[in-house]
Amino acid sequence: RLTRQQQEINSLIQRKSAVDEENARLKNEFGNLNRKFKDKSQELKDTEECAQKKEEQNRLVIKNLEEENKGLNICCADLLSDLEKLRKQEAQWKKEKSGNDTRIKNLENYLAVTREQIKSLHSMCSNLSSQVDVKQEELFQKDC
């Protein structure tokens, strides 16, 4: 009976030793997992902080781009307004040019007619001058 109890005690001691070893192994594993958890928690925290900073930077970039876009829209509106003014001015100048072209053509026609009249008058002058010369010659002959 004593040996049987001794065997049970030995068996229990072995089981306790095995449980203690398993306990130590589990504690060790728990410690490793706990460290990994802390590392991952820190990594997550760092990643979240980084993401937050990126998000803030992106918000600033978006805000700056929106302001720049606003300025460009104003600039475009101004340019379109200037373009419209220039188109109106061009239309006005074309109208004026057309009027001036017509006026120039009329003046050129008038000048051509006037030149013809001058030619005609020169011809008449020459004829009259010749007639005067002939009459003077006749008068000179009569005087003589």
Side-chain angles (χ1 to χ4, degrees):
R1 192 175 160 173
L2 189 62
T3 36
R4 203 164 167 225
Q5 284 180 345
Q6 189 63 41
Q7 283 177 343
E8 271 184 39
I9 290 173
N10 285 342
S11 176
L12 288 173
I13 289 174
Q14 284 178 345
R15 276 181 49 201
K16 182 189 181 295
S17 178
V19 167
D20 286 346
E21 283 178 21
E22 180 66 13
N23 238 0
R25 188 187 66 74
L26 288 174
K27 279 184 183 178
N28 190 28
E29 190 176 325
F30 176 77
N32 289 337
L33 288 173
N34 205 19
R35 272 192 301 284
K36 283 181 183 178
F37 174 75
K38 286 179 182 176
D39 291 347
K40 290 294 179 186
S41 292
Q42 186 60 45
E43 191 178 317
L44 177 64
K45 185 179 174 185
D46 293 346
T47 303
E48 285 173 344
E49 285 176 5
C50 185
Q52 214 171 10
K53 285 178 186 174
K54 288 274 187 199
E55 201 174 306
E56 185 59 33
Q57 286 174 344
N58 288 341
R59 268 188 244 128
L60 285 174
V61 167
I62 289 170
K63 183 181 176 187
N64 290 338
L65 287 173
E66 284 172 346
E67 287 177 14
E68 187 178 343
N69 190 35
K70 194 176 180 182
L72 289 173
N73 285 336
I74 290 170
C75 186
C76 282
D78 291 345
L79 288 173
L80 286 172
S81 174
D82 290 349
L83 179 63
E84 188 58 32
K85 287 176 189 173
L86 289 172
R87 283 185 178 157
K88 286 180 182 176
Q89 194 175 33
E90 178 189 27
Q92 178 64 31
W93 285 347
K94 282 183 179 178
K95 189 177 174 184
E96 288 175 12
K97 184 185 180 302
S98 175
N100 287 339
D101 288 348
T102 302
R103 194 165 162 231
I104 288 170
K105 191 170 183 175
N106 290 339
L107 287 172
E108 285 173 345
N109 289 338
Y110 177 74
L111 182 62
V113 168
T114 304
R115 280 187 178 145
E116 286 300 315
Q117 287 176 348
I118 288 173
K119 245 187 195 180
S120 176
L121 289 173
H122 269 136
S123 180
M124 282 172 64
C125 248
S126 286
N127 287 340
L128 289 173
S129 184
S130 293
Q131 287 176 14
V132 166
D133 285 346
V134 167
K135 291 292 180 189
Q136 278 182 341
E137 185 60 34
E138 287 175 4
L139 279 175
F140 183 70
Q141 290 298 327
K142 281 185 181 179
D143 279 347
C144 289

